[in-house]
């Protein structure tokens, strides 16, 4: 499966690069009235990812007695700066992104009001406490590196594109919220459950492949993206769920708003090139006359032109 996906991805990138190069040549030759294009954009983004596979509850949960309801959703907000080149057919960017990994383990509302957590899983009998839900939120600050390829010229209102996003993240905050059936549960239980949940790793990295549409014209653009597949590259846990459940392929969505902050003035560049060319051929009038060859008359004598 991984080999097939890799081959498909490489084929897509080759087609994209080939098509984009042809489009660049076409735009440069046909777009005579374009006066300026943006080369640097600032944008803000928000998005979320969803995991299609089931997550495995921690071994402390007493299975079979009640059904549990579990989900895991990473969401993020961020800001990026993107540099566009090759007539805006390619873009490369970086920025800052705040990602929150939220893991939730609750009871099945239809069949039960709680589940049981074993605070002493190593003993034969165990020590169970009734729990309504456990929510863990781990927040990472990351640096995303992005590269994208557009498939249609820059003058189109809707421009489909393909993008790769690689992010490196650092843990900046983590919090566990435990809701017991017994509101007066001993503090020792809270400490023991927090210990069982473990501490998330300080670092992780992610890789996303996105397919999107850039909609709008200068000075405001909207980018709509669907991410598939998305990978958590590191095996280190980012929640109390089994790390192997979270490293598989998943999908996500993102919306980003962009505004140009730097332009390239095409007319000024054309004027500069024209002036350079013209200056090479400007010759002083007297020098020009002196360099003209003489012309012979009917008698075979040479007569200066001036």
């Amino acid at each position: 499966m991984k080999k097939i996906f890799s081959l498909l991805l490489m084929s897509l990138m080759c087609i994209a690069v080939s098509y984009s190069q042809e489009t660049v040549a076409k735009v440069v030759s046909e777009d005579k009235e374009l006066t300026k294009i943006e080369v640097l954009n600032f944008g803000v983004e928000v998005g979320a990812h969803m995991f299609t596979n089931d997550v495995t509850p921690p071994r402390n949960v007493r299975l079979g007695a009640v059904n549990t309801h579990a989900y895991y959703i990473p969401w993020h907000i961020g800001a990026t700066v993107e540099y566009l080149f090759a007539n805006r057919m390619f873009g490369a960017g970086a920025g800052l992104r705040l990602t929150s990994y939220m893991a939730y383990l609750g009871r099945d509302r239809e069949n039960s009001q709680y589940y049981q957590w074993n605070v002493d899983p190593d003993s034969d009998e165990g020590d169970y406490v009734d729990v309504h839900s456990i929510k863990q939120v781990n927040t990472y600050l990351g640096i995303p590196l992005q590269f994208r390829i557009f498939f249609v010229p820059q003058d189109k209102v809707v421009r489909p594109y393909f993008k790769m996003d690689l992010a490196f993240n650092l843990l900046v905050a983590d919090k566990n919220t435990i809701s017991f059936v017994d509101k007066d549960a001993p503090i020792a239980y809270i400490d023991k459950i927090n210990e069982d949940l473990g501490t998330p790793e300080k670092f992780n990295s992610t890789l996303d492949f996105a397919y999107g549409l850039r909609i709008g014209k200068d000075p405001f653009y909207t980018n709509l993206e669907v991410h598939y597949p998305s990978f958590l590259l590191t095996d280190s846990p980012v929640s109390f769920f089994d790390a192997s459940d979270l490293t598989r392929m998943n999908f996500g969505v993102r919306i980003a708003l962009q505004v140009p902050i730097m332009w390239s003035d095409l007319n000024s560049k054309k004027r500069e090139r024209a002036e350079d060319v013209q200056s090479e051929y400007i010759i002083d009038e007297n020098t020009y006359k002196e360099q003209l060859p003489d012309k012979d008359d009917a008698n075979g004598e040479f007569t200066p032109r001036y």
Side-chain angles (χ1 to χ4, degrees):
M1 183 64 182
K2 291 184 179 179
K3 292 182 178 180
I4 295 176
F5 172 75
S6 300
L7 290 174
L8 291 175
L9 180 60
M10 291 299 296
S11 300
L12 176 62
M13 292 184 64
C14 291
I15 293 173
V17 171
S18 175
Y19 182 82
S20 298
Q21 289 176 341
E22 293 177 1
T23 308
V24 170
K26 182 179 179 181
V27 170
V28 171
S29 62
E30 295 182 357
D31 198 353
K32 303 299 183 181
E33 299 181 357
L34 191 63
T35 60
K36 66 178 182 179
I37 59 174
E38 84 273 11
V39 295
L40 197 65
N41 287 331
F42 172 79
V44 293
E45 62 182 29
V46 60
H49 284 78
M50 287 70 73
F51 285 81
T52 56
N53 54 287
D54 296 330
V55 291
T56 304
R59 67 188 185 100
N60 305 74
V61 175
R62 185 177 183 181
L63 301 177
V66 295
N67 295 322
T68 57
H69 173 64
Y71 62 82
Y72 175 79
I73 300 179
W75 64 273
H76 62 267
I77 58 174
T80 59
V81 175
E82 182 183 34
Y83 176 72
L84 300 175
F85 57 99
N87 222 46
R88 295 196 306 176
M89 296 302 296
F90 298 87
L96 288 176
R97 179 181 296 159
L98 199 65
T99 304
S100 179
Y101 295 87
M102 184 177 66
Y104 178 85
L105 183 64
R107 75 270 189 190
D108 187 338
R109 295 182 181 276
E110 295 182 359
N111 302 318
S112 61
Q113 296 299 315
Y114 63 90
Y115 58 90
Q116 293 184 315
W117 183 279
N118 188 358
V119 296
D120 189 11
D122 295 327
S123 66
D124 295 334
E125 297 181 357
D127 184 6
Y128 292 92
V129 59
D130 297 335
V131 177
H132 278 308
S133 63
I134 297 176
K135 182 172 72 172
Q136 184 182 65
V137 179
N138 300 321
T139 304
Y140 288 80
L141 181 63
I143 298 178
L145 304 177
Q146 302 174 342
F147 176 76
R148 67 172 166 174
I149 304 172
F150 291 95
F151 296 106
V152 299
Q154 57 190 355
D155 57 342
K156 302 298 183 182
V157 177
V158 179
R159 303 182 68 196
Y161 61 85
F162 169 77
K163 183 166 77 174
M164 291 185 294
D165 186 302
L166 177 64
F168 302 93
N169 308 302
L170 171 67
L171 180 70
V172 294
D174 61 285
K175 181 182 179 181
N176 297 329
T177 302
I178 306 170
S179 176
F180 294 99
V181 173
D182 183 3
K183 302 300 182 181
D184 299 324
I187 298 298
Y189 281 171
I190 299 178
D191 295 338
K192 188 64 173 65
I193 292 178
N194 282 325
E195 180 182 344
D196 292 337
L197 293 177
T199 303
E201 290 294 327
K202 295 293 184 181
F203 299 95
N204 74 60
S205 57
T206 58
L207 176 63
D208 299 328
F209 297 96
Y211 313 88
L213 297 175
R214 189 191 198 202
I215 304 173
K217 280 205 169 186
D218 189 4
F220 186 80
Y221 301 94
T222 301
N223 298 273
L224 305 177
E225 298 177 2
V226 174
H227 293 201
Y228 185 84
S230 296
F231 299 96
L232 184 64
L233 298 181
T234 49
D235 293 333
S236 56
V238 292
S239 78
F240 57 74
F241 291 122
D242 191 335
S244 62
D245 292 338
L246 308 179
T247 56
R248 304 172 190 172
M249 290 191 297
N250 64 92
F251 68 95
V253 293
R254 179 185 297 156
I255 179 171
L257 306 179
Q258 287 184 314
V259 292
I261 58 176
M262 185 182 296
W263 291 264
S264 175
D265 191 339
L266 298 184
N267 280 347
S268 65
K269 290 185 177 181
K270 291 178 181 178
R271 286 195 299 269
E272 292 174 0
R273 288 196 297 268
E275 291 173 357
D276 292 340
V277 172
Q278 185 179 5
S279 64
E280 295 177 1
Y281 293 95
I282 294 178
I283 304 176
D284 181 80
E285 181 179 0
N286 294 328
T287 304
Y288 174 73
K289 290 180 178 180
E290 292 176 357
Q291 291 178 350
L292 287 175
D294 296 332
K295 183 179 180 181
D296 56 333
D297 55 17
N299 298 324
E301 298 181 353
F302 292 94
T303 303
R305 290 178 179 270
Y306 54 92

